């Protein structure tokens, strides 16, 4: 066997080993932090749609959030988040349970006022969202 052939075989074997190692590597698991941010969308109750905004942020070992509708902003209670789900309570409005997929969040509202909600993530660098910037 010539030196050139031996070198080519060594490079081929090395390339195959490298490709096999890369193929076995799995992508990094998503963390709960992916849910942090500003979300905008609608809540649907009794056939009526109302625009809303939700902001979620991880604080130490827990989660905090704010809910905005019109000129009102209220702190969320009992905020729980996983990589694919969200739960929060809004005093007097109900419990929100939703699924998160990428930049979309949707779910149901239970309690005194039932309904559903659908939200999309918005860039934190965008100006604050005004639900009715020039009136209804």
């Amino acid at each position: 066997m010539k030196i050139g052939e031996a070198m080519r075989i060594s490079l081929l074997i090395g390339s195959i080993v490298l490709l096999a190692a890369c193929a076995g590597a799995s992508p990094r698991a998503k963390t709960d932090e992916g849910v942090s941010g500003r979300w905008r969308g609608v809540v649907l109750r009794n056939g009526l749609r109302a625009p809303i905004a939700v902001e979620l942020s991880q604080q130490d070992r827990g989660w905090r959030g704010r809910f905005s509708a019109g000129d009102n902003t209220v702190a969320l209670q009992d905020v729980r988040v996983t990589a694919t789900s969200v739960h929060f309570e809004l005093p007097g409005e109900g419990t929100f349970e939703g699924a998160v997929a990428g930049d979309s969040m949707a779910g149901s509202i239970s309690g005194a006022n039932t309904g559903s909600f659908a939200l999309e993530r918005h860039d934190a660098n965008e100006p604050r969202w005004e639900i009715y910037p020039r009136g209804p």
Side-chain angles (χ1 to χ4, degrees):
M1 185 182 322
K2 295 182 181 178
I3 293 178
E5 267 184 59
M7 199 175 222
R8 205 172 334 147
I9 290 172
S10 295
L11 283 173
L12 181 61
I13 291 172
S15 297
I16 291 171
V17 168
L18 180 62
L19 287 173
C22 290
S26 61
R28 192 173 61 189
K30 287 187 175 183
T31 64
D32 301 345
E33 292 178 25
V35 179
S36 289
R38 189 176 296 160
W39 299 80
R40 299 180 195 167
V42 295
V43 64
L44 179 63
R45 288 189 173 143
N46 300 320
L48 299 174
R49 292 169 42 126
I52 62 169
V54 173
E55 289 188 45
L56 298 170
S57 61
Q58 191 167 17
Q59 305 287 320
D60 298 321
R61 294 182 182 193
W63 283 84
R64 296 171 83 174
R66 295 184 310 184
F67 179 94
S68 299
D71 291 333
N72 299 320
T73 299
V74 178
L76 299 175
Q77 295 179 352
D78 193 24
V79 180
R80 296 188 305 250
V81 171
T82 69
T84 59
S85 68
V86 65
H87 165 101
F88 56 86
E89 296 177 14
L90 187 60
E93 294 295 321
T95 300
F96 290 64
E97 294 280 350
V100 178
D103 290 335
S104 297
M105 179 189 307
S108 62
I109 306 167
S110 61
N113 298 311
T114 61
S116 62
F117 67 97
L119 305 170
E120 289 184 3
R121 183 191 318 269
H122 284 265
D123 188 352
N125 295 326
E126 289 180 25
R128 275 202 166 285
W129 184 45
E130 296 179 26
I131 295 177
Y132 294 114
R134 292 182 179 87

